[in-house]
Amino acid sequence: MVDLNEIVDSRGSLHIFERFDDIPMDVKRFYILSNLNDEDRGFHAHKELTQIAVCISGSCIIKLDDGHKEIDIKLDTPSKGLIIRPMMWREMRDFSKDCLLLVFADEVYDENDYIRNYENFKSLAQKTDGQ
Ligand code: T46
Protein backbone atom coordinates (compact mmCIF):
# COMPACT_ATOMS: atom_id res chain seq x y z
CA MET A 1 0.00 0.00 0.00
CA VAL A 2 1.13 3.53 -0.64
CA ASP A 3 -0.07 6.44 1.50
CA LEU A 4 -1.36 9.36 -0.53
CA ASN A 5 -1.06 12.94 0.60
CA GLU A 6 -4.17 14.24 2.28
CA ILE A 7 -4.86 17.85 3.25
CA VAL A 8 -7.84 18.22 5.55
CA ASP A 9 -9.36 21.50 6.68
CA SER A 10 -12.77 22.78 7.70
CA ARG A 11 -13.92 22.64 4.04
CA GLY A 12 -13.17 18.94 3.58
CA SER A 13 -10.34 16.75 2.28
CA LEU A 14 -8.00 17.17 -0.65
CA HIS A 15 -6.08 14.09 -1.80
CA ILE A 16 -2.96 14.60 -3.89
CA PHE A 17 -1.55 11.93 -6.18
CA GLU A 18 1.77 13.36 -7.30
CA ARG A 19 4.26 11.47 -9.45
CA PHE A 20 7.19 9.89 -7.56
CA ASP A 21 6.22 11.20 -4.11
CA ASP A 22 2.76 9.67 -3.97
CA ILE A 23 2.73 7.47 -7.07
CA PRO A 24 6.07 5.70 -7.54
CA MET A 25 5.76 5.21 -11.32
CA ASP A 26 5.16 7.07 -14.59
CA VAL A 27 1.43 7.21 -15.22
CA LYS A 28 0.48 6.69 -18.88
CA ARG A 29 -3.20 5.90 -18.36
CA PHE A 30 -5.90 5.94 -15.75
CA TYR A 31 -9.36 4.43 -15.76
CA ILE A 32 -12.31 4.40 -13.40
CA LEU A 33 -14.53 1.45 -12.52
CA SER A 34 -18.04 2.62 -11.59
CA ASN A 35 -21.66 1.37 -11.48
CA LEU A 36 -20.29 -1.85 -10.03
CA ASN A 37 -22.64 -4.59 -8.96
CA ASP A 38 -22.38 -8.09 -7.46
CA GLU A 39 -20.43 -9.46 -10.44
CA ASP A 40 -16.79 -10.05 -9.61
CA ARG A 41 -14.14 -8.57 -11.94
CA GLY A 42 -10.49 -9.09 -12.73
CA PHE A 43 -9.52 -12.76 -12.99
CA HIS A 44 -6.26 -11.98 -14.75
CA ALA A 45 -2.65 -10.98 -14.20
CA HIS A 46 -0.42 -8.66 -16.20
CA LYS A 47 2.97 -9.69 -17.56
CA GLU A 48 4.59 -6.25 -17.23
CA LEU A 49 2.03 -3.65 -16.20
CA THR A 50 2.22 -1.99 -12.79
CA GLN A 51 -0.92 -0.30 -11.48
CA ILE A 52 -2.10 1.56 -8.39
CA ALA A 53 -5.74 1.16 -7.39
CA VAL A 54 -7.42 3.79 -5.20
CA CYS A 55 -10.96 3.43 -3.94
CA ILE A 56 -12.12 7.06 -4.10
CA SER A 57 -15.66 6.24 -2.92
CA GLY A 58 -17.20 3.29 -1.07
CA SER A 59 -15.29 0.04 -0.70
CA CYS A 60 -14.36 -3.23 -2.35
CA ILE A 61 -12.13 -6.26 -1.82
CA ILE A 62 -9.20 -7.05 -4.08
CA LYS A 63 -7.70 -10.53 -3.92
CA LEU A 64 -4.04 -10.70 -4.95
CA ASP A 65 -2.35 -14.02 -5.71
CA ASP A 66 1.33 -14.37 -6.67
CA GLY A 67 0.96 -18.05 -7.58
CA HIS A 68 1.93 -19.20 -4.07
CA LYS A 69 -0.07 -17.13 -1.60
CA GLU A 70 -3.23 -15.12 -1.82
CA ILE A 71 -4.39 -12.20 0.26
CA ASP A 72 -7.66 -10.23 0.45
CA ILE A 73 -7.25 -6.48 0.76
CA LYS A 74 -10.11 -4.13 1.59
CA LEU A 75 -9.93 -0.76 -0.15
CA ASP A 76 -12.14 1.83 1.53
CA THR A 77 -10.31 5.14 1.57
CA PRO A 78 -8.99 7.63 -0.99
CA SER A 79 -5.89 8.14 1.14
CA LYS A 80 -4.35 4.74 0.34
CA GLY A 81 -3.33 3.21 -2.99
CA LEU A 82 -2.76 -0.47 -3.60
CA ILE A 83 0.27 -1.13 -5.80
CA ILE A 84 -0.40 -4.11 -8.06
CA ARG A 85 2.86 -5.29 -9.57
CA PRO A 86 3.28 -7.54 -12.64
CA MET A 87 2.59 -11.29 -12.33
CA MET A 88 -0.05 -10.80 -9.67
CA TRP A 89 -3.41 -12.50 -10.24
CA ARG A 90 -6.24 -10.16 -9.15
CA GLU A 91 -9.92 -10.58 -8.46
CA MET A 92 -12.22 -7.76 -7.32
CA ARG A 93 -15.46 -8.31 -5.42
CA ASP A 94 -17.85 -7.04 -2.71
CA PHE A 95 -18.29 -3.64 -4.30
CA SER A 96 -20.36 -1.24 -2.24
CA LYS A 97 -23.12 0.57 -4.20
CA ASP A 98 -21.11 3.81 -4.13
CA CYS A 99 -17.78 2.18 -5.05
CA LEU A 100 -15.56 4.13 -7.45
CA LEU A 101 -12.21 2.54 -8.20
CA LEU A 102 -9.57 4.79 -9.80
CA VAL A 103 -6.67 2.85 -11.32
CA PHE A 104 -3.36 4.37 -12.48
CA ALA A 105 -1.32 2.36 -14.98
CA ASP A 106 2.28 2.77 -16.12
CA GLU A 107 1.49 1.68 -19.70
CA VAL A 108 -1.20 2.17 -22.31
CA TYR A 109 -3.79 -0.58 -22.78
CA ASP A 110 -2.42 -3.76 -24.38
CA GLU A 111 -4.53 -6.93 -24.39
CA ASN A 112 -1.34 -8.97 -25.09
CA ASP A 113 -0.08 -8.04 -21.63
CA TYR A 114 -3.04 -9.84 -19.96
CA ILE A 115 -2.88 -13.45 -18.72
CA ARG A 116 -6.53 -14.40 -18.43
CA ASN A 117 -6.11 -18.13 -17.79
CA TYR A 118 -5.26 -19.07 -14.18
CA GLU A 119 -3.39 -22.28 -15.06
CA ASN A 120 -1.22 -20.38 -17.56
CA PHE A 121 -0.57 -17.75 -14.90
CA LYS A 122 0.47 -20.35 -12.33
CA SER A 123 2.91 -22.11 -14.60
CA LEU A 124 4.40 -18.78 -15.78
CA ALA A 125 4.70 -17.57 -12.15
CA GLN A 126 6.54 -20.76 -11.20
CA LYS A 127 8.89 -20.48 -14.22
CA THR A 128 9.67 -16.84 -13.34
CA ASP A 129 10.44 -17.88 -9.72
CA GLY A 130 12.92 -20.48 -10.93
CA GLN A 131 15.02 -17.89 -12.83
C1 T46 B 1 -7.03 -4.52 -13.96
C2 T46 B 1 -8.25 -4.33 -13.14
C3 T46 B 1 -7.96 -3.74 -11.78
C4 T46 B 1 -9.77 -1.15 -22.65
O1 T46 B 1 -10.10 -1.15 -23.85
N1 T46 B 1 -8.89 -0.23 -22.18
C5 T46 B 1 -8.49 -0.18 -20.89
O2 T46 B 1 -7.67 0.70 -20.50
C6 T46 B 1 -9.04 -1.14 -19.97
C7 T46 B 1 -8.63 -1.13 -18.50
C8 T46 B 1 -9.93 -2.07 -20.44
N2 T46 B 1 -10.29 -2.05 -21.77
C9 T46 B 1 -11.29 -3.05 -22.23
C10 T46 B 1 -10.85 -4.50 -22.16
C11 T46 B 1 -12.16 -5.24 -21.99
O3 T46 B 1 -12.72 -5.47 -23.26
O4 T46 B 1 -12.44 -2.96 -21.41
C12 T46 B 1 -13.05 -4.23 -21.26
C13 T46 B 1 -13.21 -4.58 -19.78
O5 T46 B 1 -11.91 -4.81 -19.20
P1 T46 B 1 -11.65 -5.97 -18.14
O6 T46 B 1 -12.59 -7.08 -18.34
O7 T46 B 1 -10.18 -6.31 -18.20
O8 T46 B 1 -11.98 -5.21 -16.77
P2 T46 B 1 -11.61 -5.66 -15.28
O9 T46 B 1 -12.36 -4.77 -14.37
O10 T46 B 1 -11.77 -7.13 -15.10
O11 T46 B 1 -10.03 -5.34 -15.14
C14 T46 B 1 -9.59 -3.98 -15.13
C15 T46 B 1 -8.33 -3.83 -15.99
O12 T46 B 1 -8.59 -4.31 -17.32
C16 T46 B 1 -7.17 -4.58 -15.44
O13 T46 B 1 -5.96 -4.16 -16.07
O14 T46 B 1 -5.96 -4.78 -13.43
O15 T46 B 1 -9.29 -3.59 -13.80
Side-chain angles (χ1 to χ4, degrees), residues 42-45 63-70 87-91 114-126:
F43 299 92
H44 61 259
K63 179 167 104 177
L64 292 181
D65 173 350
D66 66 0
H68 302 283
K69 274 188 301 188
E70 46 182 69
M87 293 307 288
M88 201 55 88
W89 187 264
R90 82 266 342 244
E91 295 174 15
Y114 283 72
I115 307 167
R116 293 194 183 269
N117 176 290
Y118 187 73
E119 290 315 312
N120 289 352
F121 161 72
K122 255 203 127 138
S123 68
L124 262 172
Q126 278 154 12

Side-chain angles (χ1 to χ4, degrees), residues 49-67:
L49 189 72
T50 297
Q51 303 190 97
I52 298 180
V54 185
C55 195
I56 55 172
S57 169
S59 64
C60 67
I61 303 283
I62 300 191
K63 179 167 104 177
L64 292 181
D65 173 350
D66 66 0

Side-chain angles (χ1 to χ4, degrees), residues 1-15:
M1 297 293 274
V2 59
D3 285 319
L4 298 168
N5 249 328
E6 182 178 11
I7 296 177
V8 186
D9 62 27
S10 59
R11 299 165 298 171
S13 297
L14 190 155
H15 291 94

